[in-house]
Amino acid sequence: MIVRTLEECENSNRTVKTDTWRSVRLSLADDGMGYSFHITTIYAGTETPIWYKNHFETVYCISGNGEVETVSDGKIYKIEPGTVYILNKNDQHLLRGGTEDMQLACAFNPPLNGREVHDEDGAYKLNEEALQNA
């Protein structure tokens, strides 16, 4: 059994920050679960282009507000506490923080290793360790 707290992960190399978001990676590829689980904060008033070409993601809003826009059709979906969105088709999307920071619980398959940030396309690169633990 693995037991960790959000606080200890926040104060470790499991936290990754960019200009538009911060992700605390609670469970990663090396935990051997086949997915990774993160608590991610999207900063208010920001926009992040994302295209997980190599991963599927489920996202649940814990607090705050924002929106997600699917690039292919321009549809905009409001995100607020209790909303889940599921990127089951590697959807290219724009994630926008609203009037306050938005805290999200995110699960990725295949799992991340921990230090990934979005590349020029908004994707996370695949790597052998993640694939072996999927």
Side-chain angles (χ1 to χ4, degrees), residues 91-108:
D91 310 89
Q92 189 174 8
H93 59 287
L94 301 170
L95 185 56
R96 298 183 185 108
T99 58
E100 57 185 306
D101 289 353
M102 185 168 44
Q103 189 174 53
L104 307 169
C106 310
F108 281 89

Side-chain angles (χ1 to χ4, degrees), residues 3-88:
V3 177
R4 316 186 159 96
T5 67
L6 179 61
E7 182 179 6
E8 68 190 29
C9 292
E10 286 174 329
N11 297 311
S12 75
N13 65 357
R14 290 177 169 270
T15 297
V16 177
K17 298 177 185 178
T18 73
D19 291 340
T20 61
W21 55 266
R22 177 183 77 134
S23 179
V24 182
R25 281 108 190 244
L26 298 172
S27 176
L28 293 166
D30 62 1
D31 292 324
M33 297 297 296
Y35 62 88
S36 58
F37 181 74
H38 317 172
I39 300 298
T40 299
T41 301
I42 304 299
Y43 301 132
T46 63
E47 179 178 273
T48 306
I50 304 173
W51 186 12
Y52 295 133
K53 297 182 274 186
N54 305 309
H55 296 84
F56 295 109
E57 182 188 26
T58 298
V59 181
Y60 177 80
C61 182
I62 299 167
S63 64
N65 62 69
E67 64 184 26
V68 61
E69 177 180 348
T70 48
V71 172
S72 64
D73 60 13
K75 287 185 181 176
I76 297 174
Y77 303 89
K78 182 178 177 180
I79 301 172
E80 59 189 8
T83 302
V84 65
Y85 67 92
I86 302 165
L87 300 167
N88 62 326

